[in-house]
Amino acid sequence: MAYRFALAGNPNSGKTTLFNNLTGSNAHVGNWPGVTVERKEGKCRKVKENVTIIDLPGVYSLSPYSQEEIIARDFLSKEKPDVIINIVDATNIERNLYLTTQLLELGIPTIIALNMMDEVKLRGDVIDAKSLEKQFGVPVVPIVATKNQGIKELLETALSLDKKHESAIKTALENTKLQASVSGISDLLKKANYANPLYNAVKLLERDEKVKEALQLTPALENSINQIIVAAEQAEGDLETLIADLRYKYISKAITNHVKKGRKHGELSFSDKVDKVVTNRILGIPIFILVMYAVFQISLGPIAALVADPFATFTGETIPGWVATLLENAGVSDWVYGLVIDGIFAGLGSVLGFLPLVVILMLCLSILEDIGYMARIAFVMDRVFRRFGLSGKAFVPLLMGYGCAVPAIMATRTLEDDRSRRLAITLMPFMSCGARIPVYAVFAGAFFASNQGTITFTIYALGVVVAMLSCILLNKTVLKGEAAPFVMELPPYRLPSLKSVLIHTWEKAKGYVVKVGTILLTMTVVIWVLQTFDFSFSMVEDSADSIFGSIGEFIAPIFTWNGFGAVRDTGAVHWQVGAALLTGLIAKEAVVSTLGILYISEGTEELTNALSTALHTHFTPLAAFSVMVFVLLYAPCFAAIATAKKELVSWKWTLFTVAFQCGVAWFVSMLVYQVGSLLGIGLG
């Protein structure tokens, strides 16, 4: 028999950690039907039964205020999983149980999983799980998802649940002034054979128009229900507010009776004490800058070089050397040798060598997220963002942009209004994604080796500054409006889970390698062909005469004022960068692989330092920094642009965002080079 277990809970409740624990590497990631919010599901590897785990978006309630809440509600009410596993952060039990009171009204067999019980014990708190079971009428299982504690009991309980538990479920509105109204509407819906009668009755009392529209009530039934609602409103006033108040009173009673706090009233927790410094109005932003500076020094500085340099030598010199020897001994033709060594290895080797840097950076960011610091950054940045027309809530998807723009653009669905979503999507490329790291590493390593971490940090910081200035411009022109209110719950600080951090880092590293082995492999072959043959498909001696060379020379004049492309003083044309930037629209890593093919094929023999040597012959340090700035700011890859189109639901806005991003990239890059030249700043 096949089972479906749905994981439901607040953000930061440990839901994703539990999902990873249950499914491991068996998870399948896609999108929910009709929307681009990520959907995760996977086979549970801890039981012999056929159990599929569905990870619902983290939500605070089942009210239709965000896309996540609509998705969670629609799945639970329409698809009816066999069991709901409600993950509750036991350290913040009162806030988390609000969602629980709504889930119980669905009538689906439910388990409350009290997560983070180890932290509850450290605080000196005591939660009586058995008493809570009697209070809610459903099983309550204490767990610690990060340490695999209580997971076996949780799954055994879930597999033993059946529909008989529905009659035992107790809801927050029982024995209250609204019980008669809820029962009256519920009985009417039950007689008319509507599903989820109790849940829908409460939603109709709240005047939830989406639920009413979905139910498609007959005129007679709608009239009968309206009479009950109007009578309740006349007696009690705003029912939605009253229902929320009754839920919290029910929860407060449960907490008073079944939870004992170890900390005295008014006594600050460890997280509160740390937050007094970390989220301080004056110290918060400087601390954030220092933390991120340290991250870039670790991931792109001398420490990372201890791992990255040997790996780059192995992938860029040792392996190509072995393959070159094999090809020579096999007596292959010149074009085959050129395709494999000057094409595939010169292109992929240039990108794959930076895998350790990507892994270390993602590892650092994963640790910060697991600790709970990332949520603090959003809180601290709210004060800054609000001055520019965005709330701190927008910083969360923008922060995700440092990993990959595609899921970050999807995450803008959490923003309530279209204006905020459009602003965030337009600014997204300025938050440099992980795919751009190889570009920075190549140019910073070639021209600023002793200050590689500092230069890269400067690039990332420049992205934030440009995003803020662009926000002001857009907020005063095409996207006028006020910032939406920002309410965010700060999770307690926690020691990072080694398993969770490693899984997250592994997923990023795997994605990087898969992209190298698929998209970039295909592109390197295409690029090699384009730079080897002219339009008559004759092999050329000089790649400048090739198809790619002609395209690059056509583009080059655009970058005359930026210090790369057509150089005004000498008349020389460095077409390679313009051509590489075009391929970067397919995948940002392709900028490096393209430069590797174009420059290494000019005759250099050692692949490890070939690209660095070639760049030194074509660029000044200031021009190299100008290239880095342009790569930082110009439009993201086609996958991100397609995602933006889906979110914006408008070709006009999509084309505007791409044009705006490319225009800003050109202008800032030009400004950096021209001002630097006037002031005699060589950056050398």
Side-chain angles (χ1 to χ4, degrees), residues 184-353:
I185 298 174
S186 178
D187 290 342
L188 288 172
L189 292 173
K190 196 178 294 183
K191 288 177 183 176
N193 294 318
Y194 281 93
N196 312 315
L198 175 59
Y199 171 79
N200 286 323
V202 175
K203 285 299 170 186
L204 288 171
L205 276 172
E206 291 178 335
R207 296 286 189 183
D208 189 320
E209 292 300 321
K210 289 187 180 294
V211 167
K212 182 180 177 181
E213 183 182 332
L215 289 174
Q216 297 181 338
L217 303 171
T218 63
L221 181 57
E222 184 176 352
N223 183 55
S224 299
I225 290 173
N226 277 338
Q227 289 178 14
I228 297 174
I229 296 172
V230 170
E233 287 175 337
Q234 288 174 346
E236 306 296 342
D238 182 2
L239 297 184
E240 186 175 10
T241 302
L242 176 61
I243 289 170
D245 184 54
L246 290 173
R247 291 190 196 280
Y248 276 118
K249 284 181 178 177
Y250 179 78
I251 294 166
S252 180
K253 180 182 177 182
I255 299 301
T256 302
N257 294 337
H258 311 308
V259 179
K260 293 181 180 179
K261 297 288 184 180
R263 194 169 61 247
K264 295 178 182 178
H265 179 70
E267 185 181 344
L268 294 178
S269 67
F270 171 77
S271 292
D272 294 332
K273 292 174 182 176
V274 175
D275 281 341
K276 276 186 168 294
V277 178
V278 172
T279 63
N280 182 274
R281 182 178 293 273
I282 298 172
L283 298 177
I285 292 178
I287 289 173
F288 168 54
I289 292 171
L290 287 174
V291 168
M292 297 310 295
Y293 181 77
V295 165
F296 288 115
Q297 286 295 339
I298 292 169
S299 57
L300 296 168
I303 296 175
L306 296 175
V307 179
D309 290 349
F311 186 82
T313 300
F314 180 71
T315 58
E317 188 172 330
T318 306
I319 295 178
W322 292 343
V323 175
T325 302
L326 287 173
L327 293 176
E328 287 170 359
N329 292 337
V332 299
S333 61
D334 290 343
W335 75 267
V336 172
Y337 183 92
L339 172 61
V340 175
I341 302 302
D342 297 334
I344 294 173
F345 278 103
L348 296 189
S350 303
V351 178
L352 197 58

Side-chain angles (χ1 to χ4, degrees), residues 349-404:
S350 303
V351 178
L352 197 58
F354 297 106
L355 177 61
L357 303 182
V358 175
V359 169
I360 294 171
L361 179 59
M362 292 304 144
L363 181 65
C364 291
L365 294 178
S366 298
I367 291 172
L368 289 177
E369 186 174 351
D370 234 35
I371 287 173
Y373 182 63
M374 288 303 195
R376 270 76 186 177
I377 297 173
F379 176 77
V380 168
M381 294 302 291
D382 179 60
R383 289 193 294 269
V384 179
F385 270 48
R386 195 159 292 281
R387 295 180 181 179
F388 299 103
L390 272 177
S391 77
K393 194 172 185 179
F395 190 69
V396 177
L398 288 174
L399 199 63
M400 291 176 64
Y402 284 118
C404 178

Side-chain angles (χ1 to χ4, degrees), residues 296 361 402 432-433 437 440 456-464 632:
F296 288 115
L361 179 59
Y402 284 118
S432 185
C433 69
I437 293 172
Y440 307 149
T456 306
F457 171 76
T458 303
I459 285 290
Y460 275 76
L462 178 63
V464 175
L632 162 74

